[in-house]
Amino acid sequence: MSGDPLVLVLGTADWNAPVATNQHRVTAALAPAFPVVFVEGTGTRSLQLGDARRVLRRLRSTPQLAGRAVPAGVAVVSPRVVPHHAPVTRRVNTALLQRQVGRWLRHRGPRLLWTYSPFTHGLERHADRTVYHLVDLLHENPGVHRGRLLAAERDLRADLALATSPAIAEHLRAQGFATTRVLPNVADVALFTAAARATVSRGTSAVFAGTLAPHKLDGELLLDLASVLGDRLRLVGPLVDPGDPLWRSLSAAGARIGGPLGPAELARELATAAVGLVPYRLSPLTRGISPLKTYEYLAAGLPVVSTPLPAVTALEGAVFVRDRAAFVAQVEDLLADGDPARPERMTRLAQGHDWESRGVELRALVRDLLAGP
């Protein structure tokens, strides 16, 4: 193929989502080599009352994008479509979305579609190559119309399907994707390592950093931790369903619950902790999770204690995979063992699992895709 490629990324989140996820990172990683149009998510679940503010923002004549920096070479589109995936809205949404990505459709060079949603509104028919990048088992999310989403996956024709965990790759193959590849999540290792090495003294807290979602987190395990650790248990991230009684119970037990932090603030927060937590419940949804926070914790100098998620591999002296019965005891043991050499050992283990290395890999992947027959 001749000419300069243009990449269209169909996200499942807004560009300014409180937590930067795989889709934001991949967009930024591709931009140094290829111009990218990032389309904010059009939704994969039924519209909820809490989505009203997001819908209203989309309806503004000039979308507000202040917040997360937009890298050079990236254009962000806030699509004005009907936030509903059903036969009755499909034709309208297809026409609306295609008008809003006209720059990509009119592009005279190669067009690459990189989608995180199976609801593509037929855009793959206009792409020279299509990548479906699945970072969660989307059909297991609450509020999702499971049948429609699975049907959309089966109808999607992609040249390559990327998965962040073996469980997701297995699902993709069962859905009919012939060419799949596993790319586990990685982290901004340099940022967290720099904060760790600049920290003079560490505290004695155990921290979870990520989206605080009751349907993902093991609430009973967190309450067990809070009953033992009190204010040494820290939860950092955006609250999903702030009225859920879990948060009140944890606060009453002494746990400290904070809101989302920017990357630099989060790096400093982790650098003052002693143990990183991955306290997910075991469910059909979490079976596919590849927690990028594992490498964030290691880069920040923290040993990691995780519930037995399929994508988390134990690493002697660094990553401890424990069931609920042994989880709290393992955290207590690590907090009691103030090994001063441990933080530097942890940061070394994270090296190479970073977005700089992944960016090189992704840009080469795009070149190979576009150069193929």
Side-chain angles (χ1 to χ4, degrees), residues 19 43 75 77 90-91 147 163 174 187 193 215 293 306 328 333 336 357-358:
V19 176
V77 173
R90 188 172 300 141
R91 183 174 297 180
T193 297
H215 67 279
K293 57 186 60 62
S306 173
V328 176
D333 288 347
S357 303
R358 178 58 54 81

Side-chain angles (χ1 to χ4, degrees), residues 34 38 74 99-100 157 165 190 200 248 250 328 356 372:
F34 314 103
F38 178 90
V74 174
R99 181 188 302 175
Q100 292 169 75
R157 295 293 173 260
S165 72
V200 176
R248 292 194 298 273
L250 285 169
V328 176
E356 289 77 10

Side-chain angles (χ1 to χ4, degrees), residues 152-310:
E153 284 186 341
R154 289 191 295 270
D155 290 342
L156 178 58
R157 295 293 173 260
D159 300 277
L160 174 64
L162 297 178
T164 52
S165 72
I168 292 178
E170 178 184 347
H171 165 75
L172 288 169
R173 287 190 288 269
Q175 285 289 83
F177 293 92
T179 306
T180 62
R181 181 171 170 183
V182 177
L183 289 179
N185 279 323
V186 289
D188 190 351
V189 170
L191 175 68
F192 290 95
T193 297
R197 289 173 175 165
T199 299
V200 176
S201 61
R202 289 181 176 268
T204 58
S205 62
V207 62
F208 170 80
T211 301
L212 303 178
H215 67 279
K216 287 186 177 181
L217 295 173
D218 188 330
E220 291 184 23
L221 174 57
L222 287 174
L223 288 169
D224 289 344
L225 279 167
S227 68
V228 173
L229 301 182
D231 64 1
R232 291 188 297 158
L233 175 61
R234 288 156 42 187
L235 307 175
V236 180
L239 275 175
V240 175
D241 191 4
D244 192 283
L246 173 62
W247 313 128
R248 292 194 298 273
S249 299
L250 285 169
S251 295
R256 289 182 286 167
I257 303 175
L261 300 176
E265 293 175 296
L266 178 60
R268 289 192 292 270
E269 178 81 6
L270 294 187
T272 63
V275 177
L277 305 174
V278 185
Y280 285 127
R281 66 171 72 242
L282 302 183
S283 70
L285 172 61
T286 60
R287 184 174 66 88
I289 285 179
S290 168
L292 67 84
K293 57 186 60 62
T294 301
Y295 290 115
E296 289 180 344
Y297 294 152
L298 290 173
L302 307 181
V304 181
V305 183
S306 173
T307 50
L309 300 175

